[in-house]
Amino acid sequence: MFETGCDETERALIGEARRFAEERLAPVIEDWEARRAMPEALLREAAGRFGGLLAPEAMGGRGARVRVAASVLAALARADLAFGFSLVVHINLAAALSRGGTEEQRARYLPALLSGETIGAFCLTEPETGSDAASISTAARPEGAGWRLDGEKAWVTNAACAGLFNVFARAGEGPGGKAMGSFLVERGDSGLEIGPAYAMLGCHVMGAGGLTLSGVRVGPDRAFAPVGEGFRAAMRGIDLARVLLSAMCCAILDDAIETARRSAASRRAFGAPTLDRQGVLFPLADAATALRAAQLLTEEAIGLLDSGGDARLAAAHAKKASTRAAFTGIAAAMQAMGGLGFRRESRLPRHLEAAKMAEYLDGTTEIQNVVIGRALART
């Protein structure tokens, strides 16, 4: 879907992801979701293959462009977006470590992240501060040569199995995000309590849950994003995640439209294929138009990230358009299939659940409007 301009090596990597989705993920993912469980071994396998997409080759990664990462994740999303998003979080942490970690941190954590031995997690959201990320209350207080962390985090993707948590905390008295930094917390650290995975509408394979930090002590070697730079680092990761999520939403909508088209072409009603009926065909046409618009916005954001440009506004446009298009379009595709679209084996109900979840991930649609509105106010 976003493969235009990819060379032979990059296309081979995307093909590897497509085969993994078809052969390893698609046959089992519905069973995992029915059990409301996280396929940990499968995620570790995927992390070993694709977790280093954005880490440099010199550090053991793939050194891929964002365009290639988006194409890989779009291929995985066709089987299951929630599984793909777990990988997005992991890829993001590996990339951040390769880019901004100390030599000691890279040596200690990066090989295990790239092999899938350790799964990564991003801990910014809190129970009382979801969209207002700059107002987090988790505190990092100097203690000896290191830090003491106290607070609570919510909606942590991969919480069920992650071994390394990038925890954002306030480490000073400055306003907003000016006092924010981040710290690397390991699963076995004393004072870290990981709650049970959330019961949700769907997307249980993400293993999302909460965690509590009660006097978690970390040494100076665990300080990651410098104090004062934490908010900026968080937003950099979120912009990337928004673009990758947009690509995945385009993929599940494309899959839903094609699934519905094939179904409606093969079924007959009132003496003709149901696809010949405007009541069936026109909603799919509307979904196809919305998909094309979302693809173009996502393409723009991908290009900006790959060129080193400021993608904040483009990422907001892409995420807003792609998540809205996916949720509305997948519902239309299900309707076009009649009762067949409502059955789990059609894959569309799982896509619909994921599209709704995507409207919350890495900033709600309303938060994208905040970003877009601020840009309008400045012009």
Side-chain angles (χ1 to χ4, degrees), residues 55 59 93-114 118 145-147 149 163-167 181-186 218-227 233:
M59 296 182 188
L93 179 54
L97 262 172
S98 68
R99 182 177 60 244
T102 64
E103 287 188 19
E104 181 182 356
Q105 288 170 345
R106 290 197 295 264
R108 180 171 180 176
Y109 297 117
L110 200 53
L113 288 171
L114 298 183
T118 297
W147 301 83
L149 306 177
L164 185 64
F165 301 85
N166 186 17
V167 177
S182 82
F183 303 83
L184 298 173
V185 175
E186 298 178 9
V218 296
D221 57 318
R222 302 273 205 93
F224 188 33
V227 176

